[in-house]
Amino acid sequence: MTTLLHIDSSVFPGGASSSRSVTAAFRKTWEEQHPQGTVIYRDVAASPVPHITADAWSAGYAAPSERTPEQSAAFAARVQLIEELEQADAILIGAPMYNFSIPSTLKAWLDSVLLLGRTAGEAPSAQGTPVIVVASRGGSYAPGTPREGYEFVQNYLEAVLKGTLGLDLDFIVPELTMASRNPAMSELVPLYEASRKRALGDATIKAKELAERLAA
């Protein structure tokens, strides 16, 4: 049986969130392909992972016998998240752009699962695991656009997920999601609708392709 680790981080619920709509489409297709599979789901917006503390951080570099009770408790919470990452055959992450970067709740999850000598370093424990990131954004930050230089979601996640954790990274990018709500962007509504349709289609296609790849 296959295991999908699904993480959502949008503060908006259900269909009000572009990233959640696309991750839901991916997961629906995934579950159709893997009816006996397992999904580990974390909604870090609804149930936030604690931000990293000195105890949680320092415990990762201390021998178990030398940890304080506070360090042991904080590190146990990190280990649970790390084990979920390591158990996954595939990972799905909803990562909307907030103020040019990822939500702090998603950053908190990343801070917990990044552990030098285990998930990071010369031989990352989840190396090669495929990860699909739905990187939604209200405008467009694509190459050649006026705000290209403000794109800190894909650049950052590529460095962390691919460069540090060693994951096999792929993006789905629904953009211009504010066009239908912002009158100043009304002329961009057709482009937004096309982007949304393409993202939902990509989610279905990539879920099927990944299911076939893992079954091979």
Side-chain angles (χ1 to χ4, degrees):
M1 295 195 304
T2 57
T3 298
L4 174 70
L5 174 59
H6 175 186
I7 299 168
D8 277 324
S9 61
S10 172
V11 298
F12 299 104
S17 163
S18 293
S19 65
R20 287 182 186 271
S21 296
V22 177
T23 60
F26 182 101
R27 178 169 167 177
K28 179 177 182 293
T29 302
W30 173 272
E31 291 180 325
E32 290 171 351
Q33 301 295 314
H34 297 284
Q36 305 301 320
T38 299
V39 176
I40 301 171
Y41 181 60
R42 283 196 174 269
D43 185 336
V44 295
S47 300
V49 171
H51 286 282
I52 200 79
T53 63
D55 285 331
W57 184 270
S58 59
Y61 300 96
S65 61
E66 298 175 352
R67 292 173 187 153
T68 66
E70 292 77 15
Q71 285 178 316
S72 295
F75 191 64
R78 289 186 69 187
V79 168
Q80 180 181 357
L81 299 173
I82 288 170
E83 288 179 344
E84 290 175 354
L85 175 74
E86 293 171 337
Q87 292 165 8
D89 296 293
I91 304 164
L92 172 66
I93 300 175
M97 178 186 282
Y98 292 160
N99 298 318
F100 310 118
S101 188
I102 62 173
S104 65
T105 51
L106 181 56
K107 177 64 163 57
W109 178 81
L110 287 167
D111 286 340
S112 285
V113 301
L114 280 164
L115 181 60
L116 188 63
R118 182 165 176 175
T119 60
E122 293 185 4
S125 55
Q127 187 170 17
T129 303
V131 55
I132 303 291
V133 174
V134 179
S136 60
R137 60 276 316 273
S140 179
Y141 300 81
T145 63
R147 289 203 164 187
E148 175 184 358
Y150 291 84
E151 207 301 306
F152 301 112
V153 171
Q154 289 178 264
N155 292 339
Y156 170 71
L157 291 178
E158 183 164 1
V160 174
L161 297 176
K162 182 179 179 180
T164 305
L165 293 176
L167 305 179
D168 182 6
L169 175 63
D170 195 4
F171 284 104
I172 299 174
V173 185
E175 61 179 9
L176 301 170
T177 62
M178 288 298 296
S180 62
R181 308 175 197 176
N182 185 348
M185 298 175 66
S186 60
E187 293 182 356
L188 300 175
V189 169
L191 292 177
Y192 153 67
E193 292 176 343
S195 176
R196 175 180 170 81
K197 182 178 180 181
R198 182 168 56 252
L200 291 170
D202 285 347
T204 298
I205 292 170
K206 291 179 185 295
K208 288 181 178 178
E209 289 178 344
L210 189 51
E212 292 173 356
R213 170 180 159 189
L214 293 175

